[in-house]
């Protein structure tokens, strides 16, 4: 028997879910089977599935930060679902599996690249935000990157310490990516690309103080962007992701796989680009092996020529049309002062779904 298969069977018997998916099992924290951010249950590090020893140590040492780590992955997944909402693969998660994306992300595809980037960005973002909100004793505001104040404003408020969030994300999210194989190299690269996006989008945010909003005194602080801006940026990087090929080298520690750009004519990827080396399935038909759900019954946009349009989304199978009645507020009147009253109207919509 092939050692790889034997390894999988052993891993299964020993209950090590880590080996069974090509992506982190601990992402299941985000769906809150073990944990809810507002709930009262404490996080038990030992009960988080798929942690490697380094992550378990991190969890025990910095337990205060773990709710933000979970929150960050959740934020990343929500943003992924927003960015991919009209596409054939729409970032669906599966509630009753620890491998929350099913087999889809087992392959080294663009989709895998995007999810790794947005999840590691999410962790950096959420940790940074919660530190600035003062929820942890081991981190807080950034006092290093201030510099002299500018024309007409002074430093004030709490500058968000993105370096700290990035450090946490790197330590925790990359802890299992130290294998000498190509997938680990790809995950490390895309995780870092996600975090770099946060640092690149830091900006000054200012507030005016003074009588009735006059800007007599203006204070400014470093702030992270809206997470939507991170999602938009990484979605562009998904569209322009670089295809790579795997190269094997013999080193003193054994065989090591690295990635090289497939097409020498194109610019090689920078640290801000996403990389992948396996092609995606077309996601048209359901396939339990690839994890594709197919696009049957998905709503499509009949006037769009893009990927959310009925032609492309339905993969040429055509679509059904039905009408749907929805109650909406209408004839709203503003009453002095100050409330609005509305009537309820029934509007009829055409809904198109894939055959
Ligand atoms: C995403 O795709 C799944 C599977 O095809 C579907 O059940 C779900 O409704 C889709 N979600 C959205 C927001 O379109
Ligand atoms: C459908 O696509 C058209 C053209 O791209 C766009 O203007 C419209 O907002 C879309 N409708 C919905 C419901 O997304």
């Amino acid at each position: 028997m092939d050692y790889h298969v034997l390894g999988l069977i052993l891993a299964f018997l020993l209950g090590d879910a880590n080996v069974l998916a090509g992506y982190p099992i601990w992402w299941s924290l985000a769906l809150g089977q073990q944990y809810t951010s507002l709930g009262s249950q404490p996080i038990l590090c030992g009960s988080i599935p798929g942690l490697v020893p380094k992550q378990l140590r991190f969890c025990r040492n910095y337990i205060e930060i773990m709710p933000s780590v979970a929150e960050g992955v959740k934020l990343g997944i929500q943003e992924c679902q927003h960015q991919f909402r009209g596409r054939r693969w729409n970032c669906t998660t599966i509630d009753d599996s620890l491998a929350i994306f099913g087999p889809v992300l087992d392959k080294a595809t663009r989709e895998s690249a995007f999810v790794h980037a947005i999840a590691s960005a999410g962790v950096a973002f959420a940790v940074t935000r919660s530190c600035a909100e003062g929820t942890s004793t081991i981190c807080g505001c950034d006092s290093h990157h201030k510099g002299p104040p500018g024309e007409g404003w002074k430093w004030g408020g709490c500058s968000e310490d993105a370096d700290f969030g990035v450090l946490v994300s790197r330590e925790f999210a990359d802890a299992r990516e130290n294998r000498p194989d190509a997938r680990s190299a790809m995950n490390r690269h895309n995780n870092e690309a996600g975090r770099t996006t946060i640092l690149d989008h830091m900006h000054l945010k200012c507030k005016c103080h003074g009588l009735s909003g006059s800007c007599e005194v203006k204070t400014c602080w470093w702030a992270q962007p809206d997470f939507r801006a991170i999602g938009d940026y990484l979605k562009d990087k998904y569209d322009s992701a670089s295809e790579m090929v795997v190269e094997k080298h013999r080193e003193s520690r054994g065989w090591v796989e690295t990635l090289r750009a497939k097409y020498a004519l194109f610019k090689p990827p920078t640290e801000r680009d996403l990389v992948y080396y396996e092609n995606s399935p077309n996601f048209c038909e359901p396939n339990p092996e690839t994890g594709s759900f197919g696009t049957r019954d998905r709503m499509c946009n009949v006037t769009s020529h893009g990927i959310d349009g009925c032609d492309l989304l339905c993969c040429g199978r055509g679509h059904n049309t039905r009408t749907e009645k929805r109650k909406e507020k209408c004839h709203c009147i503003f009453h002095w002062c100050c409330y609005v009253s509305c009537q309820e109207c029934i509007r009829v919509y055409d809904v198109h779904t894939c055959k």
Side-chain angles (χ1 to χ4, degrees):
M1 192 183 301
D2 167 326
Y3 279 109
H4 179 65
V5 174
L6 191 66
L8 282 181
I9 293 173
L10 269 179
F12 183 72
L13 291 176
L14 297 173
D16 181 2
N18 206 15
V19 188
L20 291 179
Y23 55 95
I25 291 297
W26 62 265
W27 281 351
S28 60
L29 260 181
L31 300 193
Q33 279 107 335
Q34 304 82 1
Y35 153 82
T36 49
S37 69
L38 305 167
S40 47
Q41 264 140 343
I43 290 188
L44 297 172
C45 297
S47 70
I48 302 174
L51 296 190
V52 294
K54 185 179 173 190
Q55 287 170 315
L56 198 57
R57 276 200 304 280
F58 183 97
C59 181
R60 294 203 165 117
N61 288 339
Y62 305 108
I63 186 84
E64 280 181 86
I65 291 182
M66 289 308 291
S68 326
V69 170
E71 205 55 50
V73 178
K74 191 168 164 187
L75 190 64
I77 293 171
Q78 283 167 349
E79 186 57 30
C80 178
Q81 290 176 343
H82 171 81
Q83 295 291 339
F84 284 77
R85 65 200 177 284
R87 302 183 63 100
R88 290 178 188 165
W89 178 73
N90 65 5
C91 210
T92 304
T93 53
I94 309 165
D95 283 334
D96 57 3
S97 168
L98 288 176
I100 58 171
F101 289 101
V104 172
L105 301 191
D106 285 348
K107 287 186 95 192
T109 57
R110 281 171 192 264
E111 287 75 25
S112 297
F114 180 85
V115 175
H116 274 84
I118 198 88
S120 71
V123 170
F125 184 92
V127 168
T128 300
R129 176 85 8 120
S130 103
C131 288
E133 283 167 355
T135 50
S136 172
T137 54
I138 59 174
C139 57
C141 307
D142 184 356
S143 48
H144 313 109
H145 290 119
K146 285 210 162 158
E151 184 85 21
W153 60 272
K154 57 184 191 178
W155 290 103
C158 172
S159 283
E160 291 189 294
D161 188 359
D163 286 342
F164 181 80
V166 161
L167 195 72
V168 167
S169 172
R170 198 176 285 134
E171 282 292 302
F172 191 84
D174 286 13
R176 65 188 280 290
E177 308 298 356
N178 52 4
R179 289 160 285 129
D181 61 19
R183 183 58 193 269
S184 226
M186 166 175 153
N187 292 351
R188 279 197 304 273
H189 180 99
N190 294 322
N191 284 356
E192 198 60 36
R195 290 185 289 260
T196 304
T197 306
I198 304 267
L199 297 175
D200 285 351
H201 284 76
M202 293 298 290
H203 61 276
L204 272 184
K205 218 173 174 170
C206 299
K207 195 174 166 184
C208 287
H209 312 265
L211 289 176
S212 58
S214 73
C215 225
E216 255 166 74
V217 184
K218 195 166 150 189
T219 55
C220 302
W221 61 94
W222 280 115
Q224 298 189 104
D226 284 337
F227 200 67
R228 178 59 32 88
I230 303 294
D232 290 344
Y233 182 87
L234 288 175
K235 175 61 179 6
D236 281 347
K237 291 296 184 188
Y238 163 90
D239 289 329
S240 64
S242 305
E243 186 172 358
M244 313 295 279
V245 287
V246 177
E247 284 185 332
K248 280 192 161 196
H249 314 266
R250 177 113 200 137
E251 286 185 9
S252 53
R253 55 177 170 147
W255 287 101
V256 175
E257 289 178 341
T258 53
L259 301 175
R260 174 174 60 78
K262 183 167 183 181
Y263 303 105
L265 279 178
F266 298 160
K267 267 194 324 198
T270 68
E271 59 175 347
R272 287 167 174 74
D273 291 312
L274 300 186
V275 300
Y276 69 99
Y277 59 88
E278 287 181 305
N279 289 321
S280 308
N282 63 22
F283 297 112
C284 282
E285 301 297 331
N287 180 342
E289 233 162 85
T290 59
S292 165
F293 295 107
T295 61
R296 218 191 133 143
D297 297 331
R298 285 282 305 276
M299 267 193 235
C300 59
N301 182 338
V302 80
T303 53
S304 164
H305 296 292
I307 188 70
D308 62 336
C310 294
D311 287 344
L312 282 176
L313 188 69
C314 307
C315 305
R317 296 186 306 265
H319 64 271
N320 299 314
T321 302
R322 61 182 152 81
T323 54
E324 216 176 77
K325 289 180 182 157
R326 289 181 211 156
K327 281 185 190 164
E328 280 180 3
K329 289 197 168 126
C330 58
H331 306 305
C332 293
I333 300 168
F334 176 75
H335 296 267
W336 188 263
C337 181
C338 287
Y339 70 98
V340 175
S341 67
C342 296
Q343 291 177 350
E344 217 167 51
C345 300
I346 308 270
R347 262 190 74 182
V348 179
Y349 286 90
D350 282 335
V351 176
H352 310 281
T353 55
C354 293
K355 281 188 177 163

